[in-house]
Amino acid sequence: MSTSTPSDKPGSIAGDFPPDPLLASGSFISSDTTAGDSSANRRPIQGVTRVIGSGQNVRIGMPKGTDQVHQSPGNSAQRAESKSRKRAAPGDNWLPPGWKVEDKIRTSGATAGSVDKYYYEPVTGQRFRSRNEVLYYLEHGTSKKGARKAANTDFRSDQFEGQGSKKSVRKAKEPPPPPPLNFDFESPPEKVSWAMTKAGEEAWTPFIGDDKVQDSVRRDWVTAFTVITTQNASKLSF
Amino acid sequence: MNSENHKTTHSKVISHAFFTGTAKQGSLAPTIGLLDIGVSEVAYIFRVSLPGIEKNQNMIKCEIQREGRVCIRGVVPEIAIPSDSGCLYRMQVQQLCPPGPFSITFNLPGQVDPRLFSPKFRPDGILEVVVVKLGVRIPTS
């Protein structure tokens, strides 16, 4: 099955795709191809291990429900520690621009003198009490106050919190990907008329036929032009 | 001797462009429509002389086809000195292009993507345009 497919469609790169579509068809004829079956069984497992391996601490917790119990105490201990003496945090450069940070010194009680750090969302002014909370909010768009309150009793939510913040830490470190280029190189129009408009600033407006090209499309063209003429573009013939 | 030299250099100039209207009526050489064409790995550049064409008063149109054909249209303006006095002048020497519409048409050396077109009309009357060759892609990594 899988060997005949590429020859049926010359030029297709079916071999490079993850074999999901092939698996579906392979399962139909599973009675005579056992090899296809075994590979079908192996695939998902590999996928899972890869995902798990990337998030070190979450490694054990994910696939087996029983391990979560072990995982959650570690996390809550971490948080307890962060409450008391994680004050010497190494700067707030992970914080997106616009967020405000407040250091509040406790004035009374047994812990008077210790400093609490609060983070304020720029638009709503919502207050967050930890970096973890902020990162969770940045990733999910909601705060998880409810989950936090239940954290002592419900280890599952705690587990998820650890997971979420791990992910967002990784995300925060990566530079934001450039916006995808919306430009179809394969189908240039036959003809474009560029008219210099009478605006004081030099401005050229493209027309296809009698229709003015939309500004958003024009911007995509400009972006494509800029990318091509500033980067190393590869020349391929049609 | 000198004039012969001039003639030989002139005869070496290959006319790439086709003119209509006032652009072909200049007497020495077409003062509108002198043309440079350059090429890089990914794009062509062409420069066209359009003296006397004011960008704010005369709509310039540049039509570009995928096959590489370029057609520039415009209008040569009237004499700017106001004729309030009612004096009419009959031209005795006319080397500049007379007022009126014109077009300049030429072919680039290859096919282009007419969307990837970046024109600049300089204040000194030179129109400079970069247009990307057809088939150039952004490398996908």
Side-chain angles (χ1 to χ4, degrees):
Chain A
M1 180 72 190
S2 61
T3 50
S4 69
T5 310
S7 59
D8 284 342
K9 298 174 189 171
S12 80
I13 47 169
D16 291 336
F17 287 141
D20 287 356
L22 294 179
L23 277 181
S25 56
S27 63
F28 280 114
I29 53 168
S30 58
S31 53
D32 49 0
T33 56
T34 50
D37 257 354
S38 73
S39 75
N41 284 338
R42 213 179 306 129
R43 280 286 171 180
I45 296 169
Q46 279 173 349
V48 169
T49 45
R50 218 189 317 129
V51 168
I52 290 167
S54 62
Q56 298 133 358
N57 277 354
V58 196
R59 177 164 40 94
I60 322 159
M62 269 276 280
K64 293 185 179 178
T66 52
D67 281 325
Q68 287 169 348
V69 184
H70 295 291
Q71 196 59 21
S72 65
N75 259 356
S76 58
Q78 236 179 350
R79 181 156 348 91
E81 182 191 55
S82 81
K83 242 175 206 164
S84 56
R85 57 181 202 82
K86 210 185 168 187
R87 289 304 138 220
D92 294 313
N93 49 9
W94 54 272
L95 208 58
W99 284 68
K100 275 194 277 192
V101 183
E102 184 190 24
D103 286 317
K104 220 168 194 173
I105 303 168
R106 293 183 194 166
T107 54
S108 62
T111 59
S114 57
V115 184
D116 290 321
K117 202 162 199 169
Y118 294 111
Y119 303 88
Y120 293 92
E121 212 259 59
V123 179
T124 63
Q126 199 177 342
R127 189 180 77 169
F128 297 86
R129 295 175 59 189
S130 70
R131 173 182 160 137
N132 272 0
E133 280 188 8
V134 173
L135 292 174
Y136 184 96
Y137 176 80
L138 289 176
E139 186 175 26
H140 295 89
T142 57
S143 67
K144 40 160 195 61
K145 280 230 165 87
R148 248 194 77 79
K149 267 174 194 156
N152 284 339
T153 52
D154 185 1
F155 54 81
R156 284 236 315 270
S157 67
D158 204 23
Q159 168 72 18
F160 284 134
E161 181 197 346
Q163 229 172 295
S165 58
K166 274 275 152 20
K167 264 185 210 156
S168 48
V169 166
R170 225 181 301 133
K171 247 182 207 162
K173 279 176 185 168
E174 284 171 8
L181 183 60
N182 181 20
F183 191 85
D184 182 9
F185 283 92
E186 302 300 330
S187 53
E190 187 63 42
K191 183 169 93 177
V192 177
S193 296
W194 295 77
M196 201 164 88
T197 51
K198 292 189 178 180
E201 188 74 11
E202 180 182 342
W204 292 77
T205 310
F207 292 82
I208 294 180
D210 289 333
D211 300 326
K212 182 172 178 281
V213 173
Q214 285 178 11
D215 286 345
S216 59
V217 177
R218 167 85 205 277
R219 276 194 292 275
D220 291 333
W221 294 7
V222 170
T223 308
F225 180 89
T226 310
V227 170
I228 282 181
T229 51
T230 53
Q231 293 183 359
N232 286 332
S234 62
K235 187 175 189 309
L236 307 167
S237 55
F238 270 106
Chain B
M1 179 75 182
N2 255 348
S3 63
E4 269 177 23
N5 273 345
H6 272 289
K7 271 190 179 165
T8 48
T9 49
H10 259 285
S11 65
K12 275 180 189 169
V13 175
I14 301 158
S15 179
H16 289 278
F18 177 72
F19 305 100
T20 70
T22 71
K24 78 178 173 187
Q25 289 175 30
S27 62
L28 270 187
T31 55
I32 287 182
L34 294 177
L35 184 62
D36 284 354
I37 296 176
V39 60
S40 79
E41 203 167 313
V42 298
Y44 298 112
I45 188 172
F46 61 85
R47 308 166 78 223
V48 186
S49 67
L50 298 171
I53 314 296
E54 266 186 84
K55 61 179 177 183
N56 289 340
Q57 290 176 16
N58 303 279
M59 192 99 143
I60 298 176
K61 264 191 173 176
C62 188
E63 204 178 271
I64 181 143
Q65 298 180 15
R66 201 165 58 193
E67 302 309 311
R69 192 160 186 80
V70 180
C71 181
I72 299 164
R73 295 175 205 278
V75 177
V76 178
E78 299 288 333
I79 298 171
I81 293 174
S83 53
D84 290 346
S85 55
C87 250
L88 281 175
Y89 297 96
R90 193 162 49 83
M91 289 299 157
Q92 298 201 321
V93 175
Q94 177 110 52
Q95 293 183 345
L96 299 173
C97 295
F102 69 90
S103 78
I104 300 163
T105 308
F106 56 93
N107 286 315
L108 294 172
Q111 293 187 317
V112 296
D113 189 327
R115 298 168 296 178
L116 302 177
F117 180 91
S118 174
K120 180 168 179 57
F121 190 65
R122 308 195 324 190
D124 60 1
I126 307 283
L127 172 66
E128 291 183 349
V129 178
V130 171
V131 58
V132 173
K133 292 176 180 175
L134 192 67
V136 172
R137 311 287 159 77
I138 293 165
T140 50
S141 50

